[in-house]
Amino acid sequence: MALAVRCLRPLPALLLRSSLAMARGLPQAPRGCPAPLLEGCRQRVQQMLLSRQLATKKAKGKGQSQAKVNISAALVEDIINLEETSGEMQAVIEVLKEDFSRNLNVRTSPGALDHITVVTKDGKFPLNQLGQISQKSPQLLIVNMASFPKSTAAAAKAIRESGMNLNPEVDGTVIRVPVPKVTREHRESLAKLAKQSTNKSKEALRKVRSKSITQVKKFKSKVSEDTIWLLEKQIQQMADEAATEMDKLLAAKTKELLG
């Protein structure tokens, strides 16, 4: 009993240094504490710090529709890796950006051909690594294959089969790519595809959120309800912020497509 009291006595002091705990992890217990008791001390401090954080967030959020939550990842690393969750959500956003860049262009700039992959006997290469792409006029792109003349035919084939409705013309090591005038209907079609891609990305985002919340709920019997509530709220908050970023990307792409 005396040993237990000696181990628990520093708790008030630890709480007074909660800001340090949040930044650097929990302070060390006194030497000589048995391992099971030491773990109990650590978990108790963790729960008390999170409870204090919860009370602070509720107080700050009083009279507001949403209270901002920002839990220190170090305090909950035994429950969930928040940095990993954030990384997975960011990865979904990056996939959407890539889709917008690769597949949703109005074909009026040299960069519209950059993503096309050319299959050669030496492997697969992006078109812009094999040829110099330039724009001669709004309706004509030029691909100069002088640096890799043997890949000219493969490059022309890749452009033709890119799904961009282009019909390249080969003249020696120069590929001329006439660009059909982009109609309003085509622009609107691309804008609809951008919306569909965004919705698919949001569904992937919801899956990341659900997986993370399920992971947190596994600890219901081991940590306080306040801790579970805080973590669920933070994960939802992270998902909301990612969805907002997706909406901004969609708005910018729609403006670009519709002109």
Side-chain angles (χ1 to χ4, degrees), residues 63-177:
Q64 300 176 6
S65 58
Q66 291 290 334
K68 186 78 171 178
V69 176
N70 187 20
I71 301 173
S72 170
L75 284 176
V76 295
E77 60 184 2
D78 294 338
I79 302 174
I80 188 172
N81 188 329
L82 288 177
E83 292 180 354
E84 183 177 300
T85 298
S86 177
E88 290 179 2
M89 291 183 179
Q90 189 59 42
V92 174
I93 294 174
E94 293 303 318
V95 170
L96 180 62
K97 288 180 179 179
E98 183 71 11
D99 184 40
F100 281 180
S101 175
R102 283 180 175 271
N103 304 318
L104 297 174
N105 289 297
V106 291
R107 303 172 306 186
T108 57
S109 67
L113 304 181
D114 285 352
H115 73 281
I116 294 177
T117 300
V118 181
V119 180
T120 72
K121 64 179 182 179
D122 297 318
K124 298 179 180 180
F125 301 93
L127 179 61
N128 61 359
Q129 288 187 10
L130 300 177
Q132 182 179 1
I133 306 172
S134 59
Q135 184 172 9
K136 191 168 184 179
S137 72
Q139 269 67 58
L140 181 63
L141 298 176
I142 300 295
V143 183
N144 190 331
M145 298 293 296
S147 298
F148 296 92
K150 292 183 180 180
S151 297
T152 302
K157 180 181 178 182
I159 295 170
R160 188 176 297 109
E161 298 177 354
S162 65
M164 298 175 67
N165 193 29
L166 299 173
N167 188 25
E169 303 167 356
V170 178
D171 181 11
T173 59
V174 174
I175 303 174
R176 292 183 173 85
V177 187

Side-chain angles (χ1 to χ4, degrees), residues 175-190:
I175 303 174
R176 292 183 173 85
V177 187
V179 180
K181 187 174 181 180
V182 181
T183 64
R184 184 68 183 179
E185 289 75 15
H186 180 64
R187 289 178 179 273
E188 291 175 351
S189 176
L190 290 177

Side-chain angles (χ1 to χ4, degrees), residues 46 71-86 88-89 208-217 219 227-228 230-232 234-235 238:
Q46 181 186 53
I71 301 173
S72 170
L75 284 176
V76 295
E77 60 184 2
D78 294 338
I79 302 174
I80 188 172
N81 188 329
L82 288 177
E83 292 180 354
E84 183 177 300
T85 298
S86 177
E88 290 179 2
M89 291 183 179
V208 174
R209 180 202 62 193
S210 296
K211 183 185 73 172
S212 299
I213 290 179
T214 298
Q215 171 66 19
V216 168
K217 287 182 176 179
F219 288 81
T227 300
I228 298 297
L230 267 176
L231 282 169
E232 289 181 354
Q234 171 128 348
I235 292 168
M238 292 163 62

Side-chain angles (χ1 to χ4, degrees), residues 20-90:
L20 288 175
M22 301 285 276
R24 303 176 183 173
L26 298 175
Q28 298 295 320
R31 293 181 180 178
C33 284
L37 186 55
L38 175 57
E39 179 62 18
C41 289
R42 191 188 72 82
Q43 290 182 1
R44 180 57 179 159
V45 172
Q46 181 186 53
Q47 291 183 11
M48 293 177 74
L49 288 176
L50 284 170
S51 295
R52 171 174 288 193
Q53 189 176 41
L54 172 62
T56 301
K57 299 305 178 185
K58 283 184 175 180
K60 287 183 177 180
K62 193 173 183 180
Q64 300 176 6
S65 58
Q66 291 290 334
K68 186 78 171 178
V69 176
N70 187 20
I71 301 173
S72 170
L75 284 176
V76 295
E77 60 184 2
D78 294 338
I79 302 174
I80 188 172
N81 188 329
L82 288 177
E83 292 180 354
E84 183 177 300
T85 298
S86 177
E88 290 179 2
M89 291 183 179
Q90 189 59 42

